[in-house]
Amino acid sequence: MRTFSLFSATCVVVLLIAAMDADAQTLYRYTDPSGRVVYTDRPPLPSDQAKDVQMKQAGGNFIETDKMTAATRQAAERFPVTLYAFPCGEACESAEALLQKRGIPYSYVDIQTADGDSKLKKLTGKSVVPALQVGTDYISGFNEGTWNTKLNNGGYAEDAGVRTKSMYTKQAASQVQASAEPTDENGDTTLRRAQ
C-alpha cells in the first residue's frame, strides 16, 4: 500500500514538473562536424562531435497581438508624429480626430504649458495650433488634405491600426481661451494661443 502511495506521489510530481516545463522548453544549438548549425530539443550525444553547444530557454508559443503593423512601426521610428495643440475647439479636435481615425501613433504637446509653447515656437517660430510634426517636417494650421499628404509621405497607411483612448483636445468651451482666426495665409483653419 505504501509503495502505491509513493508511486502516486512520484507521478504527480513528475506531471507537475512536465506541466511547468511545457511553457519554458530547453533548446540546444550546436555545430556538427560538417559545419552545419543544428537546433534541437535534445542535447547532442557525445557521438555527434558537437562544437559550440548552447542551451537556450524558449517560452511558450504565442500569437503577436500588437495592432501596429510593421510598416506603421517603421514609419513611427523614421518619422515620429507629434501633435501640438490645446483644447482650442473644432480645429484642434478635428486634427486629433484625423490622427485617431487613421490610427496614427503620435505624441501630444500641450502648448498651454511654457515648455510646450517654447517647443512649438522653436519648431515653427509661432504659436499657431494645431500644428503637426512628421519627422522633421511640420505644418501649422489644420487642413485635412495637407495633413493626409504629409502623413502618407511619412509612410503611414490610411489605417495604421493604432487607436488611442484619450482625446487631449476636448474640453468644455468655457475653458478654452483662444482668439479664433478663421484661416491663415494658406486658407487653413488656425487658432493662436491667447497670451
Side-chain angles (χ1 to χ4, degrees):
M1 191 70 158
R2 271 187 186 244
T3 307
F4 182 72
S5 296
L6 183 60
F7 177 73
S8 297
T10 305
C11 287
V12 169
V13 170
V14 168
L15 288 174
L16 286 173
I17 291 171
M20 289 187 314
D21 195 39
D23 285 341
Q25 185 175 354
T26 302
L27 297 177
Y28 298 88
R29 178 196 182 277
Y30 64 90
T31 307
D32 69 7
S34 64
R36 292 181 311 184
V37 176
V38 177
Y39 292 91
T40 182
D41 60 348
R42 296 180 186 174
L45 300 172
S47 62
D48 291 335
Q49 298 175 352
K51 297 177 190 162
D52 190 29
V53 178
Q54 299 173 12
M55 261 182 28
K56 299 186 183 261
Q57 291 293 329
N61 291 336
F62 67 95
I63 297 173
E64 184 71 38
T65 58
D66 190 356
K67 293 182 179 170
M68 189 182 303
T69 65
T72 300
R73 187 175 291 108
Q74 183 179 20
E77 289 170 2
R78 294 177 63 207
F79 303 102
V81 173
T82 304
L83 172 64
Y84 294 84
F86 70 103
C88 67
E90 186 177 341
C92 291
E93 288 177 18
S94 297
E96 187 173 28
L98 173 68
L99 295 176
Q100 290 185 349
K101 179 177 86 176
R102 286 190 57 167
I104 306 291
Y106 65 96
S107 57
Y108 176 80
V109 176
D110 183 353
I111 71 153
Q112 286 182 319
T113 66
D115 186 46
D117 190 43
S118 67
K119 285 180 182 178
L120 181 61
K121 283 182 181 174
K122 184 177 178 183
L123 178 68
T124 67
K126 51 191 172 186
S127 291
V128 177
V129 293
L132 175 72
Q133 182 179 7
V134 180
T136 57
D137 294 338
Y138 70 89
I139 306 168
S140 293
F142 180 70
N143 177 295
E144 187 170 349
T146 307
W147 280 41
N148 276 322
T149 300
K150 187 66 71 179
L151 293 166
N152 292 343
N153 292 343
Y156 291 95
E158 288 295 321
D159 185 357
V162 179
R163 300 292 183 259
T164 56
K165 294 182 181 174
S166 63
M167 293 284 285
Y168 296 105
T169 58
K170 284 192 175 181
Q171 277 190 0
S174 62
Q175 294 177 331
V176 176
Q177 296 177 347
S179 58
E181 294 181 19
T183 58
D184 66 4
E185 61 275 2
N186 299 321
D188 298 333
T189 305
T190 63
L191 290 171
R192 294 193 188 279
R193 181 174 167 255
Q195 300 297 326

